[in-house]
Amino acid sequence: MAAAAAAAPGALGTLQAGRARLVAACCARLGPGWRLPGPWTGPRAGPATWARGWTPAIGGPASRRGFGSEVKTEDELRVRHLEEENRGIVVLGINRASAKNSLSKNLIKMLSKAVDALKSDKKVRTIIVRSEVPGIFCAANLPVPTIAAIDGLALGGGLELALACDIRVAASSAKMGLVETKMAIIPGGGGTQRLPRAIGMSLAKELIFSARVLDGQEAKAVGLISHVLEQNQEGDAAYRKALDLAREFLPQGPVAMRVAKLAINQGMEVDLVTGLAIEEACYAQTIPTKDRLEGLLAFKEKRTPRYKGE
């Protein structure tokens, strides 16, 4: 007993040090536009500790003009920066009609390239992933909110791409499922890991083992999607709902949106105590920002805040 008691402080210190490293690593994922403070000293380090060491990095990517036309000319992936009241929303349109939007090596390469560019673009607020092929859907490690708009089929890799998004919306006529076991393989694009986190382990096993395909209503019932809508004549009901959600996100503080996503994502992977420490560290990143001061001033002056992501 005495030996165990003597060893306890050392074990606690090791645990705290490990937690500190995890928190620091999570916060470092804010991206290249941030410089973080020195090592975190424990779960009770207050926001002031982080605030002293935080400064926005100078420079960053060159500014890009917002427009509604395509940014890329490749046929398989179309990237559109929306304009006017939708400025800040980017639409990734997958367009492999001949292959029903299956994820080819070239498409994955283009998606990775687009994701890398968008991650460092501070003007991007929300990203919608949709199909440019009627009736078929098909993100990624992006710091801003991502929405999957499923207006048709999302099977196998298509659903795995949707699972990588923060929010999923679908038409009631949409069909989605991880069907790989029918072909004597398993989901290999994150499906075995993300589906249980989305709907629970037992139900995820049932769906994967059976290769079952769900429609929009069934997917909503099990929690796979957040919203289900009756399909419209244009076949883009899910996309329109995704656009409505993205518009709701646009007025919020960009820095707050990024760190809120980080806190939620990383906190879900650890114990509650470590998660609360991650939240505290992420909260501290918003304290010295110009956006926070603008929010306070706008509230005082009873006007809409004008956030710049600084």
Side-chain angles (χ1 to χ4, degrees), residues 171-309:
S172 57
S173 58
K175 302 293 182 182
M176 57 204 90
L178 297 179
V179 298
E180 286 85 350
T181 52
K182 280 188 175 181
M183 298 175 284
I185 59 175
I186 70 169
T192 64
Q193 303 306 305
R194 291 193 175 101
L195 187 62
R197 285 167 167 79
I199 65 174
M201 181 170 21
S202 179
L203 189 52
K205 286 179 178 178
E206 180 181 331
L207 295 181
I208 291 174
F209 293 167
S210 64
R212 188 180 304 158
V213 175
L214 306 178
D215 62 26
Q217 295 290 353
E218 293 168 329
K220 176 67 167 64
V222 301
L224 180 56
I225 62 176
S226 301
H227 302 274
V228 60
L229 308 102
E230 291 298 321
Q231 188 57 283
N232 56 28
Q233 290 185 347
E234 292 78 13
D236 64 353
Y239 171 67
R240 289 175 183 268
K241 178 62 177 179
L243 196 55
D244 287 342
L245 290 172
R247 291 186 184 119
E248 281 191 67
F249 302 162
L250 280 179
Q252 320 313 328
V255 176
M257 296 287 281
R258 288 172 178 249
V259 295
K261 175 172 175 172
L262 180 68
I264 295 169
N265 286 354
Q266 299 303 318
M268 289 297 294
E269 303 299 323
V270 298
D271 62 273
L272 179 60
V273 173
T274 305
L276 291 172
I278 291 171
E279 178 187 75
E280 182 181 19
C282 288
Y283 176 84
Q285 304 308 307
T286 67
I287 298 300
T289 64
K290 294 179 180 178
D291 280 354
R292 185 184 71 89
L293 298 178
E294 165 62 14
L296 292 172
L297 185 61
F299 178 79
K300 180 180 179 181
E301 297 176 350
K302 295 181 174 57
R303 61 172 173 82
T304 301
R306 296 181 290 272
Y307 297 127
K308 298 180 179 179

Side-chain angles (χ1 to χ4, degrees), residues 61-250:
S63 60
R64 301 173 61 182
R65 65 184 181 93
F67 49 89
S69 58
E70 295 169 9
V71 176
K72 293 181 178 296
T73 58
E74 293 95 329
D75 290 334
E76 293 187 357
L77 181 67
R78 296 172 179 172
V79 183
R80 290 186 297 129
H81 291 242
L82 303 189
E83 295 180 330
E84 298 176 353
E85 72 273 11
N86 297 323
R87 189 177 299 275
I89 300 173
V90 175
V91 179
L92 295 182
I94 300 172
N95 184 45
R96 294 194 73 221
S98 60
K100 295 185 177 181
N101 279 355
S102 60
L103 298 180
S104 66
K105 289 183 178 180
N106 185 50
L107 177 56
I108 292 173
K109 182 179 179 180
M110 286 192 291
L111 279 168
S112 297
K113 185 177 179 181
V115 165
D116 287 341
L118 293 171
K119 277 196 296 187
S120 58
D121 190 341
K122 294 298 192 302
K123 294 181 180 179
V124 176
R125 304 291 184 85
T126 300
I127 296 168
I128 297 174
V129 183
R130 69 173 303 209
S131 172
E132 299 283 339
V133 181
I136 301 173
F137 177 86
C138 344
N141 185 23
L142 285 159
V144 297
T146 55
I147 307 171
I150 308 172
D151 275 304
L153 298 176
L155 304 176
L159 181 55
E160 288 179 302
L161 179 61
L163 284 167
C165 295
D166 300 311
I167 300 166
R168 290 167 292 282
V169 299
S172 57
S173 58
K175 302 293 182 182
M176 57 204 90
L178 297 179
V179 298
E180 286 85 350
T181 52
K182 280 188 175 181
M183 298 175 284
I185 59 175
I186 70 169
T192 64
Q193 303 306 305
R194 291 193 175 101
L195 187 62
R197 285 167 167 79
I199 65 174
M201 181 170 21
S202 179
L203 189 52
K205 286 179 178 178
E206 180 181 331
L207 295 181
I208 291 174
F209 293 167
S210 64
R212 188 180 304 158
V213 175
L214 306 178
D215 62 26
Q217 295 290 353
E218 293 168 329
K220 176 67 167 64
V222 301
L224 180 56
I225 62 176
S226 301
H227 302 274
V228 60
L229 308 102
E230 291 298 321
Q231 188 57 283
N232 56 28
Q233 290 185 347
E234 292 78 13
D236 64 353
Y239 171 67
R240 289 175 183 268
K241 178 62 177 179
L243 196 55
D244 287 342
L245 290 172
R247 291 186 184 119
E248 281 191 67
F249 302 162
L250 280 179

